[in-house]
Amino acid sequence: MNPAKRRTVIAGNWKMNFTPDEATAFINEIKPMVAGKDNCDIIFCAPYVTISAAMKAAEGSNIKIGAENVHFEEKGAYTGEVSAKMLKAIGVEYVIIGHSERRQYFAETDETVNLRTKAALAAGMKVILCLGEVKEQRLSGITNEVVGMQTKLDLAGVDAEALKNVIIAYEPVWAIGTGLTATPEQAEETCGEIRKVLAAMYGAEVAETVTIQYGGSMNDANAAELLAKPNVDGGLIGGASLVAKKFTAIVDAAQ
Ligand code: PGA
């Protein structure tokens, strides 16, 4: 991380975990553990039905609660979807878009990820945009091409002003939930590559200000090494975000 140039963001992605009561208990447990740790932003992205309870529990603390997805239309016949306007109405500021599980299991494409990103930004939300290569792509040596293409397609039509509200999460798909973490060198190289693509799109000065997180089996044991890399500006954390002690250790590593 490079705190002189950009904000470090440690975000939890709860995925399909925690009922409202469980989220409340978790936030109440972790709140005092992260109190005063202000060198990074701390966010938990929660299932839709859990957001309000988590927000209530987090009130007055340095913890923010986000959503895990958002639809690109404001309203209409989209059964099961939730719009940015709805999220804003309950006070949600952050939203994950383009998580690989959405791309893999729910057929989201760079096109819909781009539409969702633009809709969330237009509604005044902050986006955690996820991208990353699958194992075969890394083994074939085309990681840079893949993340470069995703960066360009997912951010098409997003101008430099709107980009201020975008955090990128580089998440190699092979590292998510597998216990296989990218090495700090791999994370640094690919986050740096994404920054190069941003520089080509928006200019080097703008690219230097964009927070780029690493995600994929980040935990209490490997966070410090990953976060020590200059282009790794935080983490998007799945499994370890469900365990207060582990998540707090990652926040500590970012201090
Ligand atoms: P993981 O998940 O930390 O459990 O690998 C990361 C993510 O999916 O964002």
Coordinates of all heavy atoms in Angstrom, one line a residue, residues 96-132:
I96 N -20.3 -4.1 -3.9 CA -19.4 -5.0 -4.7 C -20.1 -5.3 -6.0 O -21.3 -5.5 -6.0 CB -19.2 -6.4 -4.0 CG1 -18.4 -6.2 -2.6 CG2 -18.5 -7.3 -4.9 CD1 -18.3 -7.5 -1.8
I97 N -19.3 -5.2 -7.1 CA -19.9 -5.5 -8.4 C -18.9 -6.4 -9.1 O -17.7 -6.2 -9.0 CB -20.2 -4.2 -9.2 CG1 -21.3 -3.4 -8.5 CG2 -20.6 -4.6 -10.7 CD1 -21.7 -2.1 -9.2
G98 N -19.4 -7.4 -9.8 CA -18.5 -8.2 -10.7 C -17.8 -9.3 -10.0 O -16.8 -9.8 -10.5
H99 N -18.2 -9.7 -8.8 CA -17.5 -10.7 -8.1 C -17.5 -12.0 -8.9 O -18.5 -12.3 -9.6 CB -18.2 -11.0 -6.7 CG -17.3 -11.9 -5.9 ND1 -17.3 -13.3 -6.0 CD2 -16.5 -11.6 -4.9 CE1 -16.4 -13.8 -5.1 NE2 -15.9 -12.8 -4.4
S100 N -16.4 -12.7 -8.9 CA -16.3 -13.9 -9.8 C -17.4 -14.9 -9.5 O -17.7 -15.7 -10.4 CB -14.9 -14.5 -9.6 OG -14.8 -15.1 -8.3
E101 N -17.9 -15.0 -8.3 CA -19.0 -15.9 -8.1 C -20.3 -15.5 -8.8 O -21.0 -16.3 -9.3 CB -19.3 -16.1 -6.6 CG -18.2 -16.9 -5.9 CD -17.9 -16.5 -4.5 OE1 -18.7 -15.9 -3.8 OE2 -16.8 -16.9 -4.0
R102 N -20.5 -14.2 -9.0 CA -21.6 -13.7 -9.8 C -21.3 -14.0 -11.3 O -22.2 -14.3 -12.0 CB -21.7 -12.1 -9.6 CG -22.0 -11.6 -8.2 CD -23.4 -12.1 -7.7 NE -24.4 -12.0 -8.7 CZ -25.7 -12.5 -8.5 NH1 -25.9 -13.1 -7.3 NH2 -26.6 -12.4 -9.4
R103 N -20.1 -13.8 -11.7 CA -19.7 -14.1 -13.1 C -19.9 -15.6 -13.4 O -20.4 -16.0 -14.4 CB -18.3 -13.6 -13.4 CG -18.1 -12.1 -13.2 CD -16.7 -11.7 -13.5 NE -16.3 -10.4 -13.2 CZ -16.0 -9.4 -14.1 NH1 -16.1 -9.6 -15.4 NH2 -15.7 -8.2 -13.7
Q104 N -19.4 -16.4 -12.5 CA -19.3 -17.9 -12.7 C -20.7 -18.5 -12.6 O -21.1 -19.4 -13.4 CB -18.4 -18.5 -11.6 CG -17.0 -18.7 -12.0 CD -16.3 -19.5 -10.9 OE1 -16.3 -19.1 -9.7 NE2 -15.7 -20.6 -11.3
Y105 N -21.4 -18.2 -11.5 CA -22.6 -18.9 -11.2 C -23.9 -18.2 -11.6 O -25.0 -18.8 -11.7 CB -22.8 -19.2 -9.6 CG -21.6 -19.8 -9.0 CD1 -21.2 -19.4 -7.7 CD2 -20.8 -20.8 -9.6 CE1 -20.1 -20.0 -7.1 CE2 -19.7 -21.4 -9.0 CZ -19.3 -21.0 -7.8 OH -18.3 -21.5 -7.1
F106 N -23.8 -16.9 -11.9 CA -25.0 -16.2 -12.2 C -24.9 -15.5 -13.6 O -25.6 -14.5 -13.8 CB -25.4 -15.2 -11.1 CG -25.6 -16.0 -9.8 CD1 -24.6 -16.0 -8.8 CD2 -26.8 -16.6 -9.5 CE1 -24.8 -16.7 -7.6 CE2 -27.0 -17.3 -8.4 CZ -26.0 -17.4 -7.4
A107 N -23.9 -16.0 -14.4 CA -23.8 -15.6 -15.8 C -23.6 -14.1 -16.0 O -24.1 -13.5 -17.0 CB -25.1 -16.0 -16.5
E108 N -23.0 -13.4 -15.0 CA -22.7 -12.0 -15.2 C -21.5 -11.8 -16.2 O -20.6 -12.6 -16.1 CB -22.5 -11.2 -13.9 CG -23.8 -11.1 -13.2 CD -23.8 -10.2 -12.0 OE1 -22.9 -9.3 -11.9 OE2 -24.7 -10.3 -11.1
T109 N -21.6 -10.8 -17.0 CA -20.6 -10.6 -18.0 C -20.0 -9.2 -17.8 O -20.5 -8.4 -17.1 CB -21.2 -10.6 -19.4 OG1 -22.2 -9.5 -19.5 CG2 -21.9 -11.9 -19.7
D110 N -18.9 -9.0 -18.6 CA -18.3 -7.6 -18.5 C -19.3 -6.6 -18.8 O -19.3 -5.5 -18.3 CB -17.1 -7.5 -19.4 CG -15.9 -8.3 -18.8 OD1 -15.6 -8.1 -17.6 OD2 -15.2 -9.1 -19.5
E111 N -20.2 -6.9 -19.7 CA -21.2 -6.0 -20.2 C -22.2 -5.6 -19.0 O -22.5 -4.4 -18.7 CB -22.0 -6.5 -21.3 CG -22.9 -5.5 -22.0 CD -23.9 -6.1 -23.0 OE1 -23.8 -7.3 -23.3 OE2 -24.7 -5.3 -23.5
T112 N -22.7 -6.6 -18.3 CA -23.6 -6.3 -17.2 C -22.9 -5.7 -16.0 O -23.4 -4.9 -15.3 CB -24.4 -7.6 -16.8 OG1 -23.5 -8.6 -16.3 CG2 -25.3 -8.1 -17.9
V113 N -21.6 -6.2 -15.8 CA -20.8 -5.6 -14.7 C -20.6 -4.1 -15.0 O -20.7 -3.2 -14.1 CB -19.4 -6.3 -14.6 CG1 -18.5 -5.5 -13.7 CG2 -19.6 -7.7 -14.1
N114 N -20.4 -3.7 -16.3 CA -20.2 -2.3 -16.6 C -21.5 -1.6 -16.4 O -21.5 -0.4 -15.9 CB -19.8 -2.3 -18.1 CG -19.8 -0.8 -18.6 OD1 -20.5 -0.4 -19.5 ND2 -18.8 0.0 -18.1
L115 N -22.7 -2.2 -16.8 CA -24.0 -1.5 -16.6 C -24.2 -1.3 -15.1 O -24.7 -0.2 -14.7 CB -25.1 -2.3 -17.2 CG -25.1 -2.4 -18.7 CD1 -26.2 -3.4 -19.2 CD2 -25.5 -1.0 -19.3
R116 N -24.0 -2.3 -14.3 CA -24.2 -2.2 -12.9 C -23.3 -1.1 -12.3 O -23.7 -0.3 -11.4 CB -23.9 -3.5 -12.2 CG -25.0 -4.6 -12.4 CD -24.6 -5.9 -11.9 NE -25.4 -7.0 -12.5 CZ -26.5 -7.6 -12.1 NH1 -27.0 -7.2 -10.9 NH2 -27.1 -8.6 -12.8
T117 N -22.0 -1.1 -12.7 CA -21.1 -0.1 -12.2 C -21.5 1.3 -12.5 O -21.6 2.2 -11.6 CB -19.7 -0.4 -12.8 OG1 -19.3 -1.7 -12.5 CG2 -18.7 0.6 -12.4
K118 N -22.0 1.5 -13.7 CA -22.4 2.9 -14.1 C -23.7 3.3 -13.3 O -23.8 4.4 -12.9 CB -22.6 2.9 -15.6 CG -21.3 3.0 -16.4 CD -21.4 3.3 -17.9 CE -22.1 2.1 -18.6 NZ -22.0 2.3 -20.1
A119 N -24.6 2.3 -13.1 CA -25.8 2.6 -12.4 C -25.5 3.0 -11.0 O -26.0 3.9 -10.4 CB -26.8 1.5 -12.5
A120 N -24.6 2.2 -10.3 CA -24.3 2.5 -8.9 C -23.6 3.8 -8.8 O -23.9 4.6 -7.9 CB -23.4 1.4 -8.4
L121 N -22.7 4.1 -9.7 CA -21.9 5.4 -9.6 C -22.9 6.6 -9.9 O -22.8 7.6 -9.2 CB -20.8 5.4 -10.7 CG -19.7 4.5 -10.4 CD1 -18.7 4.4 -11.6 CD2 -18.9 4.9 -9.1
A122 N -23.8 6.4 -10.8 CA -24.8 7.5 -11.1 C -25.7 7.7 -9.9 O -26.1 8.9 -9.7 CB -25.6 7.1 -12.4
A123 N -25.9 6.7 -9.1 CA -26.8 6.9 -7.9 C -26.0 7.4 -6.8 O -26.5 7.6 -5.7 CB -27.4 5.5 -7.6
G124 N -24.7 7.6 -7.0 CA -23.8 8.2 -5.9 C -23.2 7.2 -5.0 O -22.9 7.6 -3.8
M125 N -23.2 6.0 -5.4 CA -22.6 4.9 -4.6 C -21.1 4.8 -4.9 O -20.6 5.2 -5.9 CB -23.3 3.6 -4.7 CG -24.8 3.7 -4.4 SD -25.6 2.1 -4.5 CE -24.9 1.4 -3.0
K126 N -20.4 4.1 -4.0 CA -19.0 3.7 -4.2 C -19.0 2.2 -4.6 O -19.6 1.4 -4.0 CB -18.1 3.9 -3.0 CG -18.1 5.4 -2.6 CD -17.0 5.6 -1.5 CE -16.7 7.1 -1.3 NZ -17.7 7.8 -0.5
V127 N -18.2 1.9 -5.6 CA -18.2 0.6 -6.2 C -16.9 -0.2 -5.9 O -15.8 0.4 -6.0 CB -18.4 0.6 -7.7 CG1 -18.1 -0.7 -8.4 CG2 -19.7 1.2 -8.1
I128 N -17.0 -1.4 -5.4 CA -15.8 -2.3 -5.3 C -15.9 -3.2 -6.5 O -16.7 -4.1 -6.5 CB -15.8 -3.1 -4.0 CG1 -15.7 -2.1 -2.8 CG2 -14.6 -4.0 -4.0 CD1 -15.8 -2.8 -1.4
L129 N -15.2 -2.9 -7.5 CA -15.2 -3.6 -8.8 C -14.3 -4.8 -8.8 O -13.1 -4.6 -8.7 CB -14.9 -2.7 -10.0 CG -14.7 -3.3 -11.3 CD1 -16.0 -4.0 -11.8 CD2 -14.3 -2.3 -12.3
C130 N -14.8 -6.0 -8.9 CA -13.9 -7.2 -8.8 C -13.6 -7.7 -10.2 O -14.5 -7.8 -11.1 CB -14.7 -8.3 -8.1 SG -15.2 -7.9 -6.4
L131 N -12.3 -8.1 -10.4 CA -11.9 -8.8 -11.6 C -10.7 -9.6 -11.3 O -10.1 -9.5 -10.3 CB -11.6 -7.7 -12.7 CG -10.7 -6.5 -12.3 CD1 -9.3 -6.9 -12.6 CD2 -11.1 -5.3 -13.1
G132 N -10.4 -10.5 -12.3 CA -9.3 -11.4 -12.0 C -9.4 -12.6 -13.0 O -10.5 -12.9 -13.5

